[in-house]
Amino acid sequence: MEFPKDLKYTKEHEWVKVEGNIATVGITDYAQDSLGDVVYVELPQEGATVTKHEPFGVVESVKAVSDLYAPLSGSVTEVNDAIVDSPEAINEDPYGDAWMIKVEIANTGELGDLLTADEYQKFIEEEK
Amino acid sequence: MLKKTPLYDIHKALGAKMVDFAGWEMPVQYTGVIDEHLAVRTSCGLFDVSHMGEIEVSGDSAIDFVQFVMTNDIERVTDGQCQYSPLCREDGSVVDDTIVYRFNIDRYLFVVNASNTAKVLDWFKQVQKKEQFPDLVIEDLSGIYSQIAIQGPKSVEVMKPLLDIDPGQIKTFRFHMGLLLGEIEAVVSRTGYTGEDGFEIYLDPSDAPAVWQALMEAGKPFGIAPIGLGARDTLRLEMGYPLYGHELSDEITPIEAGLGKYVKFTKDFLGREVLEKQAANGTERALVGIKMIDAGIPRAGYEIHSNGKKTGEVVSGTSSPSLKAGIGTGFVATKLKAPGTEVEVVIRGRAAKAQVVPLPFYRK
């Protein structure tokens, strides 16, 4: 299982890539593996506001529904509509093609709460 | 402490994800629900269903007892056949649904859901106490039987080198008591829960690992795959087969669940009065198949609306791997049960368009 070092992570199993004031958000390899075959995704509209720790969308496997939690607060600048049509990309390429939303970061102070790759890996080891 | 089947170590070695199911630690998936589902539809798959309960009823009055507790009619089948039936209480509610194996007129085996084994056993004993069934013996044999199912169009070919007779000779809903691998005693029935050809094999737990491995080996040229409970559920739902706790429960009758053909009023049984009335007069609600028109996946507990008003609830739902669509079953007002009727499934507060469709969802 992969946890790229250049990404930040949350305990709700999202990853974040920060570039300037824009954060790209997706779910981790661990999350996609736990979910199993992803068959449905619901994402917010461009321009929507997301709030840290609040659900911003939904991902469904064959068996179950899971909320997606925003790692940061801000407004959505871009949505990856391609994964709505091909949700299996979330299983195949969770850190690449299957990014979910880009958020304009409202409060840079929240960045400090994100986990490093090592911290996240330790967290999921303990959770198992 | 969760119970483990004799195939537990094999599941772990295959990399299965294990879950708690009715007190058993069972494989929910190995490689993925969709792959496993399609393996069964196109080739064959192997299921560990050792968690299922087996209750034997024997003695001079066994046939009277069996006829009294089941809604189907066991006198319509002969020795060596099995029959599906709901088991009802006097009020028509369902204790469990079962496949009954008729060994002979004095001996029957009920295969029941893992979650209901203790309940059925207790209920059988209550019925025995209340009514007169001389020399009746009711025994929980769940501990002495493991169960492996092989399902899919290649099942006969895979079984052929292992069984002491040509498995193709075992007719649908009949069983053979014979030998596997030349020496392992087993009951092999041409039954299943997937809508595909296949067999269910009952054997001593200590023999289960050898038979599992032999089937995996024999199935290799056909691409046999181990199948978890995840795909077991999508396979049965595509066929519209009921699962206790969803389409059937302590609060649902077999008539409401659309199982009238397994209720035979030509004999006496518990629940007959209520069910006969329901069959004659109709019920307020009916179980229907629902297919999404809008995007979305129906899930158990979601409300079903008709013209903006609640008419019922989804009881099973999934994304169908064969149809690549959201499908589900649910109870609606009977007047809405005709295929083609438009309804809405409320998914996270949004009314998504869906349609009543005939069962099964999947046809070859």
Side-chain angles (χ1 to χ4, degrees):
Chain A
M1 216 167 273
E2 280 178 61
F3 304 101
K5 298 274 188 205
D6 60 326
L7 304 181
K8 299 285 188 187
Y9 299 85
T10 71
K11 291 185 176 178
E12 284 96 19
H13 310 290
E14 275 83 30
W15 59 261
V16 184
K17 186 177 190 177
V18 181
E19 290 164 303
N21 65 336
I22 299 292
T24 307
V25 178
I27 67 168
T28 67
D29 201 9
Y30 175 80
Q32 71 76 20
D33 185 68
S34 310
L35 286 167
D37 296 324
V38 175
V39 290
Y40 185 81
V41 197
E42 231 171 63
L43 297 175
Q45 301 281 336
E46 219 180 281
T49 304
V50 297
T51 308
K52 187 183 164 188
H53 293 324
E54 298 284 320
F56 72 82
V58 159
V59 58
E60 297 197 35
S61 67
V62 177
K63 274 195 86 68
V65 183
S66 308
D67 281 324
L68 297 164
Y69 291 94
L72 298 161
S73 306
S75 66
V76 177
T77 60
E78 225 180 301
V79 178
N80 187 0
D81 289 321
I83 59 167
V84 175
D85 295 325
S86 308
E88 65 277 5
I90 294 167
N91 296 114
E92 289 157 7
D93 192 9
Y95 300 118
D97 285 348
W99 64 274
M100 292 176 166
I101 54 171
K102 295 192 185 201
V103 177
E104 191 176 348
I105 301 165
N107 176 3
T108 48
E110 288 177 356
L111 290 170
D113 300 337
L114 298 172
L115 307 176
T116 65
D118 288 345
E119 286 166 340
Y120 176 64
Q121 231 169 318
K122 206 170 286 169
F123 169 72
I124 58 176
E125 281 308 318
E126 283 162 14
E127 209 186 35
K128 267 182 201 167
Chain B
M1 188 64 185
L2 293 177
K3 286 184 267 189
K4 293 182 169 87
T5 81
L7 300 170
Y8 177 84
D9 291 337
I10 292 178
H11 301 319
K12 292 295 266 190
L14 286 166
K17 231 169 251 168
M18 307 298 285
V19 292
D20 171 4
F21 185 83
W24 291 80
E25 196 169 351
M26 299 299 290
V28 65
Q29 69 164 62
Y30 300 83
T31 57
V33 175
I34 297 175
D35 281 353
E36 292 167 32
H37 180 109
L38 297 176
V40 173
R41 289 271 179 258
T42 58
S43 174
C44 62
L46 214 50
F47 301 71
D48 177 9
V49 271
S50 299
H51 58 307
M52 300 288 286
E54 289 88 10
I55 298 171
E56 190 178 275
V57 173
S58 59
D60 288 346
S61 59
I63 185 142
D64 299 328
F65 178 83
V66 170
Q67 288 289 55
F68 192 57
V69 294
M70 68 191 269
T71 62
N72 209 337
D73 185 354
I74 201 70
E75 295 198 50
R76 295 191 187 199
V77 304
T78 59
D79 300 349
Q81 275 185 279
C82 15
Q83 195 179 53
Y84 172 81
S85 181
L87 302 171
C88 286
R89 299 184 187 82
E90 200 138 21
D91 64 0
S93 66
V94 179
V95 180
D96 199 10
D97 62 337
T98 182
I99 304 250
V100 188
Y101 287 68
R102 178 174 168 150
F103 291 103
N104 59 54
I105 193 158
D106 296 329
R107 185 175 159 226
Y108 304 86
L109 188 72
F110 289 80
V111 179
V112 297
N113 284 298
S115 52
N116 284 335
T117 308
K119 184 175 84 170
V120 174
L121 193 67
D122 180 61
W123 181 70
F124 276 5
K125 292 197 166 154
Q126 280 181 43
V127 174
Q128 179 185 26
K129 216 182 214 173
K130 218 171 130 195
E131 312 283 337
Q132 286 304 311
F133 294 105
D135 303 320
L136 184 75
V137 180
I138 299 169
E139 255 183 304
D140 181 5
L141 300 186
S142 305
I144 70 157
Y145 281 117
S146 280
Q147 196 198 141
I148 295 171
I150 176 168
Q151 299 278 293
K154 301 293 181 196
S155 298
V156 170
E157 280 173 85
V158 175
M159 281 286 279
K160 212 169 254 174
L162 274 65
L163 191 63
D164 57 355
I165 62 162
D166 174 7
Q169 286 176 6
I170 305 172
K171 293 194 180 113
T172 305
F173 268 74
R174 286 180 187 264
F175 61 92
H176 164 69
M177 295 164 78
L179 296 177
L180 284 161
L181 310 176
E183 56 179 3
I184 294 172
E185 283 180 29
V187 176
V188 178
S189 60
R190 193 88 175 256
T191 51
Y193 195 43
T194 63
E196 299 297 332
D197 191 10
F199 302 90
E200 291 177 305
I201 303 165
Y202 301 84
L203 70 181
D204 189 284
S206 65
D207 292 325
V211 169
W212 175 280
Q213 300 290 28
L215 285 165
M216 285 296 279
E217 200 55 41
K220 220 178 242 171
F222 304 100
I224 197 170
I227 314 295
L229 293 178
R232 184 171 162 82
D233 191 49
T234 53
L235 287 159
R236 73 92 195 164
L237 186 53
E238 281 186 353
M239 295 311 296
Y241 294 157
L243 172 62
Y244 195 90
H246 295 259
E247 288 77 13
L248 294 172
S249 79
D250 291 324
E251 275 100 42
I252 299 168
T253 76
I255 303 297
E256 292 174 314
L259 299 176
K261 68 172 172 176
Y262 305 107
V263 182
K264 302 281 164 50
F265 298 114
T266 46
K267 53 151 227 176
D268 195 30
F269 59 90
L270 275 168
R272 180 186 164 146
E273 207 175 310
V274 172
L275 298 182
E276 204 161 15
K277 258 182 214 150
Q278 288 191 344
N281 305 335
T283 54
E284 272 175 41
R285 59 179 181 172
L287 185 78
V288 293
I290 285 166
K291 193 172 165 189
M292 298 306 298
I293 296 170
D294 286 345
I297 302 167
R299 303 283 183 185
Y302 286 5
E303 289 186 3
I304 303 171
H305 288 200
S306 169
N307 295 318
K309 275 171 78 182
K310 185 180 173 181
T311 179
E313 268 182 23
V314 174
V315 290
S316 290
T318 194
S319 166
S320 158
S322 302
L323 279 61
K324 297 188 176 28
I327 60 166
T329 53
F331 286 94
V332 297
T334 298
K335 63 177 196 295
L336 300 172
K337 79 171 191 181
T341 307
E342 270 201 27
V343 292
E344 301 103 45
V345 176
V346 182
I347 303 177
R348 295 178 283 279
R350 174 178 59 92
K353 255 197 269 173
Q355 192 179 35
V356 174
V357 295
L359 297 172
F361 296 101
Y362 174 78
R363 286 166 211 268
K364 269 174 240 174

